[in-house]
Amino acid sequence: LPSQFSGLLGTVYRRGNLSFTRDGSALISPVGNRISVFDLKNNKCETFPLATRLNIVCVGLSPDGSLAILIDEEGAALLVSLIGKCVIHHFYFHKPVHSVSFSPDGKKFVITKDNVALMYHAPGRKREFNAFVLDKTYYGPYDETTCIDWTDDSKCFAVGSKDMSTWVFGAERWANLIYYSLGGHKDIIVACFFEENSLDLYTISQDAALCVWQCDTELDGLKPMPPKDAAREENAEKNDEEFLEEPKGEEIRGKANPNEQETRDKVKYSRVAKYFFNKEGDFNNLTSAAYHKKTHLLVTGFASGIFHLHELPDFNLIHSLSISDQRIASISINCTGDWIAFGCSGLGQLLVWEWQSESYVLKQQGHFNSMVSLAYSPDGQYIVTGGEDGKVKVWNTSSSFCFVTFTEHTSGVTAVTFTSNGYVILSASLDGTVRAFDLHRYRNFRTFTSPRPSQFSCLAVDSSGEIVSAGSQDSFEIFIWSMQSGRLLDVLSGHEGPISSLSFNPMKCVLASASWDKTVKLWDMLDSWRTKETLILNSDVLVVAFRPDGKELAVAALNGQITFWDHENAVQTGSIEGRHDLQMGRKELDKITAKQAAKGKSFTTLCYSADGQSVLAGGLSKFVCIYNVKEQILMKKFEISCNFSLDAMEEYLDRRKMTEFGSMALIDEGAGGEDGVAIPLPGVKRGDMSYRHFKPEIRVTCLRFSPTGRSWAATTTEGLLIYSLDSGLIFDPFELDIDVTPSNIRKTLHQKDYTMAIIMAFKLNEKKLIQEVIEAVPSNEIDVVCSSLPDLYVEKVLEFLASAFEISCHLEFYLIWAHKLLMLHGQKLKTRSVKLLPVIQFLQKSIQRHFEDVSKLCEWNIYNIKYALAVSQQRGMKRLAEETLVDEDDLDSDSDYLM
């Protein structure tokens, strides 16, 4: 079963700083407690299979692009290899960290926490017992430190603070620069930047003021401290009674107002200019900034979603643009200075802007509120999601990008589905409409409504794509529409409670409806009497699902049971008691234990695997359970999140958060934070309408298995998580005997016994070897080899071809293989169609993707050839006209001569 985490869709940015990779072609974005890498040149997104314990607040990238430091809300850090995509080292800074930055030479890195800056030796390429070794601790600011910037030669760094001061510190003890304090601002320092190869500095504050500081010394003018003075200072530090703690590396303590003797022969700064950005109202605070040293380009973002581009040091405005109506939380510029990345945490927006051409390179946004439902397209290439924000988004599974968003719904979307042809998406909403969207023209071409306004809670479409049904929450009725005409065909009544789930039989025109009245009704769409059977259960029914072959029905009820039914005979074939497997977490404000709370919980979403042998179930918990239907046992439990920034993650009560007055979670902290004073609304659990600090509860709202059988997806509080088959190196032989070895396979191949070589390679089941054998078969021999392959291996070759299409460049060669196999063995494969369907759909998905890519390329080439022909034709005609004119002129001159 697919068990390896392969991607996080639906969420592109949460909070923290954005960073471009060394070559400037990829962007690293923190998404909750994970990081996503957006490859902007190849149009792909990848989420790393590693996670911190809480949400990531800052990311530091090493200059060579091989390492990253991820730091979460509590100051726990992970040292991560960006090449191996794995965790190398864990470290705990004990306090929340505001920013982290590597030195340009990659030897040191600085973190800021509280009012200090800590400099560590950067982890090297060799193995070491402790990757984080503290070098120096810098004191100076009175309030929390906010930002860091290094000089190009790594000799000094600057630190901004909330006390409106900026401090310049020497990375080494220089005789003429140990520390220097700069004032001149009336608000929190948002960013500070050194000029290229200089100690000149720019400081920017939250009240949209920019100060330009000039230094009287060049970087080359920094003098090393004489050995005697250095030794004396070290001894003074050791003898000083104030610091009798354990050794923490060297300590440098700055003074805001040093005396004349201390400043003699030292570096001096002078403010040469102060500029103010155009402010529109009090709300327009400056929230983030970035500076590109080579092009002298300054980008500043504001709380109103506006950003400015200025050229420094003259402060010339290049352009100003509004990209969002939320505050810009982070800005980053790539190494060439062409692309600017913006992150807006309020709406979860991520934008990459090319400022010279004034165009978007990337524009992605997740669902504002949580996702509620999802559906795979029939070929498994696309996923559609519906959210509580009323948006319907379509995602490409191979690139992980959203390529279309439909915003026609005016209330939360409750269910989404694809029709069988894969080109129409249907969505049901609480606004009382069911809408059909066309994926060719990207428009809403049908809107289905009920005679009386009612909120739709579930949706189903039959296998032909002609009959659309939706269940109502308030009138307890099921509405049936025709897709072609858009007319209401029928209203099915009979349930005595809200309709919770609908599902069409994939093989027949039979609709199963589940309701809170403890029944599941089966309706025959082709029978005028409609109702066919009623299945009575012991508890309210929450979700119903048909097996892919349509012969079995799975039902999840409020008592935590999953029951299986033979719906043809209305007989229960099995049941699973799943309440204890759900394993609830304890919420911060819960009065009862997690074990007691779990007694009232149940599965709220259910789906069969592509082969129908197992069933996935999830609910108000961090676990997704996979059960074997035949044996009725739990096969595996997936923990979908380890993010403790979400509620209901902990199993037991955390005594550290308890006081004599109750839980500390009751105290509404941060009501007057950086975003201005926010009035907390009591009881708000969803959305962020008042900037109230609340913990979203971990839950799984929808589960779906891919039709290809290679992956499954879950919509959760964190986003859309995709789990796929493990692509690692696993030795999994098939019918192996003692003679099957790589050398024997190659010997058989050398003897041109291709069929035997393929069978032996599949017995050993090593992908590289199978590829080598199949690609060694001459194209004119494929027909003969395919006809002599045993039936058992035809399926295995088809599965290999489907995966080979994903990575191989031998497109025509593999297409010949697929064509010959399907033509020669088509009739035999048809008899095992139910079992083979996931493999065929996976093959179709791979071929379809190549078809789309190649067809675009061919169309473009045809257009270019036509254009070149038209241009050459035009030039030929022009040349012909010119020659004709010349001939006429010659004739005129001859006639003049004769006369």
Side-chain angles (χ1 to χ4, degrees), residues 457-458 471-472 497-502 513-516 540-544 556:
S457 57
C458 48
S472 166
I499 315 296
S500 54
S501 179
L502 293 173
S513 64
S515 170
W516 293 7
D540 296 9
V541 186
L542 300 179
V543 62
V544 63

Side-chain angles (χ1 to χ4, degrees), residues 233-241 243-244:
E233 290 211 10
E234 276 178 29
N235 290 332
E237 271 181 11
K238 282 176 188 172
N239 299 332
D240 203 337
E241 292 176 2
F243 320 115
L244 290 172

Side-chain angles (χ1 to χ4, degrees), residues 63 102-109 119-124 135 150 154:
F102 274 87
S103 62
D105 62 4
K107 290 179 181 175
K108 305 276 173 71
F109 71 88
M119 186 161 72
Y120 287 83
H121 291 286
D135 182 26
W150 285 85
S154 308

Side-chain angles (χ1 to χ4, degrees), residues 372-373 386-392 406-417 426-437 447-450 453-459 469-474 479 481:
V372 175
S373 58
E388 286 175 351
D389 57 358
K391 288 179 182 172
V392 174
F406 300 108
T407 56
E408 279 80 1
H409 284 295
T410 54
S411 187
V413 176
T414 52
V416 286
T417 184
L426 287 150
S427 62
S429 169
L430 296 174
D431 64 4
T433 63
V434 171
R435 294 178 186 269
F437 302 99
T447 303
F448 308 102
T449 54
S450 53
S454 55
Q455 295 187 311
F456 297 122
S457 57
C458 48
L459 176 72
S469 66
S472 166
Q473 270 188 349
D474 34 22
F479 298 90
W481 297 275

Side-chain angles (χ1 to χ4, degrees), residues 559-831:
N559 59 3
Q561 269 194 343
I562 300 171
T563 51
F564 301 99
W565 296 78
D566 173 5
H567 60 91
E568 290 287 331
N569 306 312
V571 176
Q572 185 177 331
T573 56
S575 72
I576 294 168
E577 190 67 54
R579 190 190 296 143
H580 301 296
D581 302 325
L582 199 59
Q583 206 172 328
M584 282 287 298
R586 181 166 183 164
K587 288 190 276 187
E588 283 185 334
L589 301 176
D590 273 359
K591 298 284 190 290
I592 55 172
T593 62
K595 200 174 180 182
Q596 284 293 110
K599 289 179 182 176
K601 294 295 180 277
S602 54
F603 293 113
T604 56
T605 177
L606 197 69
C607 82
Y608 273 97
S609 61
D611 57 6
Q613 289 179 9
S614 47
V615 68
L616 274 83
L620 301 179
S621 155
K622 62 178 176 179
F623 291 104
V624 169
C625 303
I626 297 188
Y627 294 98
N628 185 301
V629 177
K630 195 178 176 185
E631 302 293 333
Q632 295 173 17
I633 55 165
L634 179 69
M635 290 163 67
K636 189 163 177 135
K637 258 167 92 166
F638 286 97
E639 189 176 359
I640 54 155
S641 177
C642 59
N643 188 356
F644 282 84
S645 294
L646 302 171
D647 206 357
M649 285 293 294
E650 298 192 53
E651 204 173 331
Y652 300 104
L653 187 69
D654 190 348
R655 297 284 174 196
R656 290 171 298 179
K657 291 179 184 172
M658 294 301 289
T659 64
E660 55 188 303
F661 306 108
S663 172
M664 285 173 74
L666 289 163
I667 302 162
D668 195 16
E669 290 179 9
E674 294 168 12
D675 311 328
V677 176
I679 301 160
L681 300 177
V684 172
K685 275 286 180 187
R686 187 170 66 196
D688 200 16
M689 306 308 286
S690 69
Y691 295 98
R692 184 170 186 219
H693 293 261
F694 73 98
K695 279 178 131 181
E697 189 182 335
I698 183 73
R699 62 176 64 184
V700 179
T701 50
C702 189
L703 288 166
R704 289 291 177 267
F705 217 97
S706 170
T708 61
R710 297 186 68 81
S711 63
W712 57 270
T715 51
T716 69
T717 313
E718 282 202 302
L720 173 62
L721 301 172
I722 296 179
Y723 287 83
S724 61
L725 284 170
D726 193 353
S727 56
L729 289 169
I730 296 173
F731 180 60
D732 183 19
F734 173 74
E735 293 185 353
L736 191 64
D737 57 48
I738 200 161
D739 299 327
V740 179
T741 61
S743 57
N744 281 355
I745 292 168
R746 288 190 178 97
K747 197 187 286 179
T748 311
L749 194 63
H750 190 66
Q751 291 165 0
K752 298 191 177 178
D753 187 355
Y754 300 118
T755 309
M756 195 61 212
I758 288 169
I759 291 168
M760 287 168 77
F762 274 103
K763 280 184 176 181
L764 198 61
N765 207 6
E766 277 198 19
K767 204 170 179 181
K768 287 268 171 70
L769 196 61
I770 295 168
Q771 189 176 341
E772 185 188 323
V773 170
I774 282 183
E775 287 180 3
V777 178
S779 55
N780 58 347
E781 294 273 338
I782 292 172
D783 205 344
V784 179
V785 173
C786 286
S787 60
S788 59
L789 266 178
D791 292 347
L792 191 63
Y793 290 92
V794 171
E795 185 186 333
K796 291 192 170 294
V797 174
L798 279 172
E799 198 171 342
F800 170 76
L801 291 176
S803 60
F805 270 118
E806 299 270 304
I807 48 169
S808 179
C809 56
H810 304 299
L811 189 57
E812 190 187 2
F813 179 75
Y814 282 120
L815 279 171
I816 294 167
W817 266 100
H819 180 250
K820 295 292 181 193
L821 278 171
L822 293 169
M823 289 300 285
L824 291 163
H825 299 273
Q827 287 303 318
K828 288 176 187 172
L829 292 173
K830 224 171 187 178
T831 58

Side-chain angles (χ1 to χ4, degrees), residues 8-10 12 37-46 350 361-365 381-383 393-404:
L8 171 67
L9 281 70
V12 289
V37 180
F38 294 87
D39 188 341
L40 302 171
K41 284 193 174 167
N42 299 319
N43 197 39
K44 277 198 170 182
C45 168
E46 182 188 10
L350 185 64
V361 176
L362 172 77
K363 191 178 183 182
Q364 291 284 299
Q365 182 181 339
Q381 201 168 347
Y382 306 120
I383 291 177
K393 287 178 172 281
V394 190
W395 307 82
N396 189 319
T397 52
S398 52
S399 71
S400 300
F401 281 127
C402 170
F403 61 91
V404 62

Side-chain angles (χ1 to χ4, degrees), residues 127-145:
R127 290 179 179 229
E128 45 208 336
F129 175 68
N130 184 9
F132 288 47
V133 180
L134 182 63
D135 182 26
K136 292 183 182 70
T137 306
Y138 296 88
Y139 295 90
Y142 294 107
D143 205 342
E144 289 182 358
T145 44

